Amino acid sequence: MSSLALIGLQWGDEGKGKMVDWISARFDLAVRCQGGPNAGHTVWVNGKRWIFHQIPAGILNPQIKVGIAAGCVLHPQTLFEEWEKLDAAGVDYQSRTLIDPRVHLILPHHRLLDRLRDEARGKAKIGVTGRGIGPCYQEKYARYGIRVGDLFSPSLSDRIDVLLGYVNPILEKVFDQEPFGRQGILDDLLRVKDRITPFVGDAAEVVEEYLAQGKKVLFEGAQGVLLDIDHGSYPYVTSSHPGTGGIPSGIGISPKSIGEVIGLTKAYATRVGTGPFPTEATGEVEAQLQKIGNEFGASTGRRRRCGWLDLPLLRYAIRSNGVDGLAVTKLDVLDDFDVIKLCIGYRRADGSIAKEIKPWDENAGEPVYEEIEGWRVPTDGVRSLEELPDRARAYLERISRELDVPLWLVSVGQDRKATIVLPDFPFK
Ligand code: GDP
Ligand code: IMO
Ligand code: MG
């Protein structure tokens, strides 16, 4: 099988960056299919920390090519800043980067509106990343958006006029802001065009060519499936499709081009922003998870809410995304806990126990926990399942059994090397 989709099964920040960097050594092409710089993917290599928002996190593997496909939204300045960091470290991206012409551009008014709109929601705020994601996707679907390919169109300036005809009244009348002028946007976009022209190409065609040649393609997830615009905890979601379904539509390829699907979950749970989080911990326990797990946002530095693993939500995420194998990350964060709680079901109003719940179901009931004795032994130096403390291994095996998905990978530290590979993992 020559392609692998890697997706987050929770609310994002599952450790996708770390695993993508590690897995990418085995691949020829890594493609981001949806989302934009709301993503923050952390990679540690040789003691240096990288955070990728736009560029696929596989880029540090010198053999790989990377693509930003049609379903993504792109903030050019963020991309350029990431390129500058790669330049400074002597990492070549010039010959290895592809940007699809159908990608929508995030413009300054998107960021402004993102912030103003979330503020205006008051208590119902979503806690957006403020990267302009919602407004950019909104204008895409309303068919006002400016795409990478439009930079080459003779009607670019007309398109900006149509866009501003819609946006400026909102800025002025609803939010009491200054309007944007056409010329400023046009000048900025022409500068963007100069820089990205050599990288623009059809990502769908390239993916298909690679697959036809038997080369290996990684579909790199961003966000997590519980944040899906349709299938997550709406309205406390992002504006795109982080699950497996977002991949074929986000690139423009057949769904049959997806080989295997690996789903990532932390050994516990986190959520950044507002919205339901039934297994959220409180007090000392939350503080300990936060501190040991260093749970502060890679995009915004915000404190991540922390809690326990939620098997009923994971069952939903796995089933609805065709997950073939599991990667459990940040196991080492639980090393110091005397007691680890595991949510095994939800008690419904009628007293029965639900084994699976939906993220949007506000009447799912109360989480039912099992308490598990912690292993209290460091696992960060462990490199095989056999070396793990018995109770840690039992915890992982329990998760895999309950979810009915084989365990493929376990992460026990932020570094590439801190990865345990299980025999079933198909891409050794
Ligand atoms: P992503 O958005 O899914 O790529 O995840 P983030 O990079 O936003 O957040 C994951 C954080 O956990 C980062 O700081 C990683 O360096 C770190 N991390 C990833 N895997 C592990 C692990 O197995 N153990 C520990 N202790 N940290 C990890
Ligand atoms: P990665 O790829 C965690 C959350 C935001 C907010 C909601 C909507 O690093 O896992 P948006 O700016 O997208 O409109 O915000 O979605 N969110 C993420 N949370 N990790 C992410 O990406 C996220 N991307 C968006 O915090 O609650
Ligand atoms: Mg992140």
Side-chain angles (χ1 to χ4, degrees), residues 101-165:
R102 290 161 290 188
V103 168
H104 278 251
L105 292 168
I106 300 177
L107 304 175
H109 75 274
H110 292 136
R111 293 198 156 198
L112 179 62
L113 279 173
D114 205 16
R115 186 172 56 75
L116 294 171
R117 288 200 320 205
D118 216 31
E119 275 167 21
R121 292 176 68 107
K123 281 205 185 95
K125 78 168 182 179
I126 293 163
V128 295
T129 59
R131 301 296 194 256
I133 305 299
C136 186
Y137 275 111
Q138 178 190 354
E139 286 171 19
K140 159 175 163 162
Y141 286 104
R143 286 152 295 174
Y144 285 109
I146 308 276
R147 309 199 291 182
V148 166
D150 296 332
L151 300 176
F152 304 90
S153 163
S155 55
L156 176 60
S157 156
D158 296 339
R159 281 172 194 251
I160 297 172
D161 281 341
V162 173
L163 171 66
L164 291 180

Side-chain angles (χ1 to χ4, degrees), residues 11-14 16 38-41 114 126-131 133-134 222-224 227 236-239 271-274 302:
W11 291 281
D13 301 330
E14 295 88 352
K16 295 177 294 293
N38 46 348
H41 297 164
D114 205 16
I126 293 163
V128 295
T129 59
R131 301 296 194 256
I133 305 299
Q223 292 77 51
L227 289 172
Y236 302 101
V237 291
T238 189
S239 300
R271 178 166 198 168
V272 60
T274 53
R302 289 180 294 172

Side-chain angles (χ1 to χ4, degrees), residues 83 94 97-99 152 192-201:
W83 278 351
Q94 309 263 358
T97 302
L98 182 70
I99 302 170
F152 304 90
V192 168
K193 177 185 167 188
D194 284 345
R195 274 187 91 167
I196 69 170
T197 298
F199 304 99
V200 178

Side-chain angles (χ1 to χ4, degrees), residues 20 25 40 99 114 129 144 166 175 177 182 204 206 259 269 275 279 298 321-322 332 362 367-368 394 403 413:
V20 164
I99 302 170
D114 205 16
T129 59
Y144 285 109
Y166 164 73
F175 293 107
Q177 299 289 312
R182 181 223 286 165
V206 173
T279 61
N321 286 279
D332 55 301
E362 290 178 29
V368 177
L403 298 173

Side-chain angles (χ1 to χ4, degrees), residues 311-344:
L311 293 178
L313 270 181
L314 283 175
R315 282 193 189 98
Y316 162 77
I318 285 166
R319 191 181 47 73
S320 57
N321 286 279
V323 172
D324 299 300
L326 210 56
V328 177
T329 61
K330 303 191 87 160
L331 182 74
D332 55 301
V333 173
L334 299 182
D335 288 350
D336 284 336
F337 282 79
D338 292 326
V339 173
I340 295 161
K341 285 169 70 172
L342 181 64
C343 173
I344 53 165

Side-chain angles (χ1 to χ4, degrees), residues 233-282:
S233 49
Y234 190 89
Y236 302 101
V237 291
T238 189
S239 300
S240 57
H241 299 289
T244 310
I247 297 167
S249 62
I251 302 178
I253 54 168
S254 161
K256 292 178 185 155
S257 300
I258 300 175
E260 308 285 337
V261 181
I262 184 167
L264 262 69
T265 172
K266 282 178 181 163
Y268 50 100
T270 64
R271 178 166 198 168
V272 60
T274 53
F277 183 2
T279 61
E280 185 167 10
T282 51

